[in-house]
Amino acid sequence: MFQPSPWRADFPAIAALQRQHQTYLDSAATTQKPQALLDALNHYYGHGAANVHRAQHLPGALATQAFETSRDKVAAWLNAADARQVIFTHGATSALNLLAYGLEHGFNEGDEIAISALEHHANLLPWQQLARRRNLRLVILPLDEHGCIDLNQALQLIGPRTRLLAVSQLSNVLGTWQPLPALLAHARAQGALTVVDGAQGVVHGRHDVQQLGCDFYVFSSHKLYGPEGVGVLYGRQHALQQLLHWQFGGEMVQLADYHSASFRPAPLGFEAGTPPIAGVIGLGATLDYLASLDASAVERHEASLHQHLLRGLADRDGVRILGTPQTALASFVVDGVHNADIAHLLTEQGIAVRAGHHCAMPLLQGLGLDGAIRVSLALYNDSDDVQRFFDALDQGLEMLR
Ligand SMILES: Cc1ncc(COP(=O)(O)O)c(C=O)c1O
């Protein structure tokens, strides 16, 4: 039975893509944008751009007000206690790099950092490089057969030497939610700082950072239907106080002479240079739009499309789904057929999915694979999108076999 998306028309690019015979099923890489975002960008650029936190003039005051209102909206979205706990970065990657540099001073040789076996390179490489700079041990938490961090093993591996735990909330390859409450509580009891990579998790459901109990939470605006070039780093107050400044320049400084300077606290002290002003304002407008939707209807819609996707994959001979996906995406391989060949045939038929290692090479290697196809869903997809994917897959497999 056809399942429409009630929100599809809010995303003008979906109709434009359809006119180009494209079915967009790569939203875990980046999402299409709602009209509300396009309107906000148009309004900002159409009414006078200005730099923030500096100018006395009216356009500067308006831009600063809109920019800071977005910070309030992000804080409300995450249920942060205070908007000053929200630092704008250029994406999840830059937020994680900020943490790896800003916290570096707190590590001593032999200390341990724990991450999981499923991390995106963005939540692996900054810690790997920090470990190399400081002679630390990077501990990799193994997965169970479903593709979740194995809690029993993790609780053994996170101990008094663990200074930091950094884990994804929702895997970008396996679509599995990680057992964060138990992991975070255990790590904190050991005195470790906790970092949650919310790049995928933030897109599905509302998450309360206070309830989650993490020290830091990061995400990218562009995966949450917002503009590119904007990321968010939320920090618990006492955790933010441990961060040393890492990028230096305008906006973040309190006083400077030729030989020394003092710096502002979070958030502005960690937003050196001109921030992505339009992007931040656009993220605020996107959150307003998302907040206006019926969250449980969105959840039901995505869950139903996801079931359709999983059933269809399971029904096809030789298709192997990676892990046990719980939300919004599924990665798979087909026996005897290279993922790049399938991807090529899907692309030729106008199906936009992702193939390859999904920026998680060690995970794919651990599964004995050099790549997989990932289909990812968003609130604007409908059941015809999923069906078109299956029709194209069947046709492609028929040719390849
Ligand atoms: C789980 C996860 N973490 C981090 C990132 C990095 O996000 P960005 O490239 O927007 O910085 C991604 C992007 O795919 C991701 O899926």
Side-chain angles (χ1 to χ4, degrees):
M1 202 177 67
F2 175 59
Q3 184 194 335
S5 161
W7 311 284
R8 197 169 173 93
D10 299 342
F11 293 79
I14 294 292
L17 285 166
Q18 225 163 341
R19 286 193 294 276
Q20 302 162 58
H21 307 290
Q22 294 296 310
T23 298
Y24 193 74
L25 292 166
D26 194 17
S27 294
T30 199
T31 47
Q32 302 305 324
K33 312 305 172 194
Q35 185 63 44
L37 165 57
L38 308 193
D39 292 344
L41 294 178
N42 204 28
H43 183 271
Y44 170 69
Y45 283 128
H47 284 75
N51 217 321
V52 289
H53 304 129
R54 301 165 199 202
Q56 301 298 315
H57 48 66
L58 180 72
L62 290 175
T64 302
Q65 190 186 27
F67 184 89
E68 288 303 322
T69 301
S70 280
R71 200 188 302 278
D72 295 339
K73 290 174 185 173
V74 172
W77 187 261
L78 297 175
N79 195 33
D82 192 313
R84 286 171 295 186
Q85 293 172 273
V86 172
I87 296 170
F88 288 118
T89 69
H90 297 283
T93 302
S94 71
L96 290 160
N97 277 280
L98 187 168
L99 288 176
Y101 282 101
L103 296 172
E104 177 168 349
H105 65 99
F107 290 90
N108 296 309
E109 187 169 340
D111 284 347
E112 294 179 356
I113 293 175
I115 63 168
S116 86
L118 56 69
E119 298 308 319
H120 186 283
H121 294 161
N123 196 35
L124 158 64
L125 301 181
W127 308 119
Q128 179 195 86
Q129 295 302 308
L130 168 60
R132 290 169 70 100
R133 290 197 299 277
R134 285 261 161 171
N135 256 330
L136 315 177
R137 207 161 83 82
L138 193 63
V139 175
I140 312 297
L141 307 176
L143 309 180
D144 64 18
E145 72 275 20
H146 298 292
C148 292
I149 297 170
D150 184 316
L151 202 49
N152 286 333
Q153 293 197 62
L155 298 185
Q156 301 293 320
L157 288 166
I158 298 167
R161 303 227 62 173
T162 311
R163 305 305 316 138
L164 184 134
L165 167 73
V167 282
S168 279
Q169 186 176 25
L170 174 64
S171 164
N172 65 309
V173 179
L174 306 171
T176 47
W177 293 94
Q178 302 310 311
L180 292 188
L183 275 178
L184 298 179
H186 179 72
R188 291 190 67 204
Q190 303 292 324
L193 283 168
T194 55
V195 177
V196 174
D197 173 358
Q200 297 293 337
V202 76
V203 187
H204 305 287
R206 288 284 288 268
H207 306 286
D208 178 329
V209 285
Q210 296 189 66
Q211 205 174 36
L212 205 53
C214 54
D215 290 306
F216 297 103
Y217 186 91
V218 310
F219 72 88
S220 288
S221 148
H222 71 94
K223 293 193 198 278
L224 186 58
Y225 308 101
E228 297 125 20
V230 181
V232 166
L233 166 60
Y234 155 84
R236 202 201 286 267
Q237 203 58 50
H238 90 275
L240 287 173
Q241 284 161 3
Q242 297 181 43
L243 280 178
L244 287 190
H245 295 86
W246 80 304
Q247 285 188 334
F248 301 89
E251 184 136 359
M252 53 80 67
V253 72
Q254 242 154 7
L255 288 172
D257 64 28
Y258 283 119
H259 302 291
S260 64
S262 60
F263 308 116
R264 292 171 130 170
L268 295 188
F270 296 89
E271 296 176 1
T274 298
I277 300 165
V280 165
I281 293 170
L283 172 60
T286 306
L287 293 180
D288 284 344
Y289 165 74
L290 293 174
S292 76
L293 307 183
D294 176 346
S296 58
V298 171
E299 194 180 327
R300 281 196 304 277
H301 176 72
E302 289 186 354
S304 160
L305 290 184
H306 193 231
Q307 283 312 312
H308 181 176
L309 174 64
L310 294 182
R311 269 196 315 272
L313 288 173
D315 280 352
R316 281 165 171 80
D317 280 345
V319 170
R320 182 157 59 89
I321 299 174
L322 309 192
T324 310
Q326 295 165 312
T327 296
L329 63 85
S331 297
F332 67 95
V333 289
V334 182
D335 292 341
V337 184
H338 198 274
N339 72 85
D341 295 332
I342 304 175
H344 178 71
L345 286 170
L346 290 174
T347 300
E348 287 210 320
Q349 296 176 81
I351 307 295
V353 295
R354 182 86 181 268
H357 53 64
H358 310 292
C359 298
M361 275 189 213
L363 170 64
L364 271 290
Q365 279 162 10
L367 295 168
L369 300 170
D370 66 352
I373 308 274
R374 181 185 68 190
V375 181
S376 55
L377 304 162
L379 55 83
Y380 40 67
N381 287 119
D382 62 23
S383 56
D384 278 357
D385 292 336
V386 180
Q387 197 50 51
R388 275 195 295 276
F389 156 70
F390 281 124
D391 294 345
L393 178 66
D394 290 341
Q395 199 162 328
L397 289 180
E398 206 173 284
M399 283 177 68
L400 289 167
R401 282 165 169 166

